[in-house]
Amino acid sequence: MSISLAEKLEEIKLQALQKLKSNTLDETSIEAFRVEYLGKQGKLTQILKDIGSLSSEQRPAMGRLANEVKHMVAQGIETVITELKRKERSKNLLEGEMDLTLPSRARYQGHRHLISKTITEISHIFSKYGFQVGEGPEIESEYYNFDALNTPAFHPARDMHDTFYITEKTVLRTHTSPVQIRTMEKFKPPLRIIAPGTVYRHDDDASHSPMFHQIEGLWVDTHVSMGHLKGLITAFVQTFFSASTQVQLRPSYFPFTEPSAELDIECVFCKGKGCTLCKQSGWLEVAGCGMVHPNVFKAVHYDVQKISGCAFGMGIERLVMLRHRIPNIKLLYENDIRFLRQF
Ligand code: PHE
């Protein structure tokens, strides 16, 4: 009995291995093969059952042998299935079910923030008019932020800026105008600089943030006039917004310029007809500007008899919001990727 069982097992093993190696099995027949040998009624399963009727001396050795064969067959099946899958894949690739010439799916690439991009763009526009980029610290002394800009202590104009004080004499700069002083201290006229940077004011609503960005312009030479100023900013506005954007200068006051003006652009929403955004005026304010005050030149020891200059300061967020119709300044700082990706 045990001899015939061993022979039977050997025969099943040979048969099975031969079939597995024959290369004739496909997805359907491999499953039938599995059932034939390892299924509930399968040949090997049957043998394992028969072992139960052997004597206790014969049982362990036969059991081990039968399990070995079972394991061998199971592994052989796995190998065939893996090979079938591999063949199927390369067949699909070759027969063009997958088009390998198609471009891959576009991956989203990050980019610089809208504010940074705009600063670069504006600096680039002014560079064409011969302006170089200057800079200064964000933590600034009262002297540069106010005094040297003709705004001594107790000057009412200090109230125009809700200043963050760091110490009694140090502030977070409230505007980029201190860069005017720092540049003129370092360089002799003539000079043309543009100074973008972060500024701080105690101010917070839909169009104001306690931290925002400005870009300062300063042009000093022997015969700089209000006409130069207007020509320059008009050229800028018409490059930045559109060639047909109208501008106007409206008299204003800054301690460090005389005369001073606000630069308005024709309302980008209603094209000057009047709407809620421009408060029916048809104009939107985008910059403060004017002719450099003699006291400012005196502070940096420039000869007020020989030179003149004009200066302007624009809010970057304001320009960006108008250009892209962004209703709330906070959108620019929340870093919501769905918002930022649009630019
Ligand atoms: N510094 C002024 C402000 O922040 C703007 C300005 C700059 C005005 C230069 C005139 C000349 O409001």
Side-chain angles (χ1 to χ4, degrees):
M1 166 90 163
S2 95
I3 298 206
S4 73
L5 203 58
E7 279 170 354
K8 222 165 142 187
L9 192 59
E10 187 59 26
E11 201 188 303
I12 292 175
K13 178 179 130 186
L14 288 176
Q15 246 182 30
L17 293 184
Q18 199 183 22
K19 185 91 190 183
L20 284 170
K21 288 195 181 121
S22 70
N23 246 338
T24 55
L25 293 162
D26 61 15
E27 279 113 14
T28 338
S29 53
I30 188 75
E31 178 55 17
F33 178 88
R34 196 190 59 77
V35 173
E36 184 186 342
Y37 287 87
L38 305 177
K40 269 195 191 134
Q41 316 288 326
K43 291 178 180 169
L44 278 166
T45 321
Q46 195 52 51
I47 295 254
L48 282 163
K49 276 183 200 155
D50 292 347
I51 288 171
S53 58
L54 291 178
S55 70
S56 55
E57 298 94 68
Q58 292 167 327
R59 216 182 293 146
M62 269 315 287
R64 206 178 310 121
L65 198 62
N67 271 320
E68 263 172 37
V69 175
K70 188 181 166 190
H71 186 68
M72 215 181 272
V73 172
Q75 257 192 345
I77 294 176
E78 274 314 303
T79 313
V80 170
I81 291 178
T82 313
E83 182 60 11
L84 283 172
K85 280 191 187 149
R86 194 191 62 75
K87 279 192 187 143
E88 170 80 7
R89 238 194 341 265
S90 52
K91 186 174 140 230
N92 285 343
L93 285 176
L94 286 174
E95 288 180 358
E97 208 171 83
M98 198 185 276
D99 184 351
L100 296 177
T101 64
L102 282 177
S104 61
R105 190 176 301 176
R107 276 243 220 129
Y108 177 71
Q109 248 204 327
H111 57 76
R112 292 192 312 143
H113 191 276
L114 180 56
I115 297 282
S116 315
K117 280 167 86 165
T118 309
I119 288 176
T120 308
E121 182 188 344
I122 297 176
S123 307
H124 183 70
I125 295 174
F126 279 102
S127 75
K128 293 190 180 163
Y129 308 127
F131 282 70
Q132 283 180 310
V133 177
E135 51 182 33
E138 287 171 32
I139 296 176
E140 190 53 286
S141 68
E142 262 195 322
Y143 176 75
Y144 286 108
N145 198 81
F146 293 122
D147 301 76
L149 288 162
N150 197 32
T151 322
F154 308 113
H155 191 292
R158 284 208 185 184
D159 297 342
M160 284 163 71
H161 304 190
D162 290 302
T163 313
F164 287 114
Y165 277 83
I166 296 212
T167 67
E168 218 181 306
K169 295 256 167 241
T170 338
V171 301
L172 287 177
R173 66 175 175 193
T174 56
H175 51 176
T176 41
S177 300
V179 185
Q180 289 189 32
I181 306 296
R182 288 183 175 274
T183 310
M184 289 192 285
E185 278 183 347
K186 268 193 233 129
F187 303 102
K188 296 253 150 302
L191 55 85
R192 276 178 240 188
I193 59 131
I194 199 88
T198 313
V199 300
Y200 303 84
R201 287 181 200 179
H202 198 286
D203 213 349
D204 203 2
D205 61 36
S207 51
H208 295 87
S209 151
M211 184 245 17
F212 63 107
H213 300 82
Q214 283 190 336
I215 195 155
E216 189 83 9
L218 174 68
W219 180 359
V220 184
D221 209 326
T222 45
H223 295 96
V224 177
S225 70
M226 202 78 183
H228 288 97
L229 174 64
K230 188 169 184 187
L232 176 68
I233 336 198
T234 306
F236 163 72
V237 164
Q238 295 185 342
T239 311
F240 188 81
F241 288 100
S242 77
S244 59
T245 307
Q246 298 297 305
V247 303
Q248 75 173 9
L249 288 179
R250 189 164 34 80
S252 183
Y253 174 78
F254 297 102
F256 35 91
T257 44
E258 181 58 38
S260 301
E262 298 282 354
L263 175 85
D264 293 341
I265 64 166
E266 171 196 290
C267 179
V268 293
F269 296 89
C270 63
K271 298 274 169 250
K273 288 188 199 77
C275 66
T276 48
L277 198 98
C278 60
K279 301 197 185 80
Q280 309 306 330
S281 71
W283 296 98
L284 297 165
E285 184 185 314
V286 294
C289 59
M291 300 306 294
V292 178
H293 195 289
N295 287 350
V296 173
F297 283 144
K298 281 179 194 154
V300 296
H301 311 294
Y302 273 17
D303 186 344
V304 291
Q305 299 307 318
K306 289 197 186 130
I307 49 123
S308 60
C310 66
F312 58 88
M314 302 186 279
I316 313 256
E317 279 79 353
R318 175 115 173 118
L319 294 174
V320 166
M321 288 168 75
L322 292 176
R323 188 197 226 181
H324 297 288
R325 316 260 199 280
I326 297 169
N328 192 313
I329 195 167
K330 302 294 178 301
L331 286 164
L332 293 167
Y333 308 123
E334 280 164 351
N335 286 338
D336 184 332
I337 207 79
R338 293 166 302 177
F339 170 79
L340 293 176
R341 267 185 191 176
Q342 300 175 73
F343 308 99

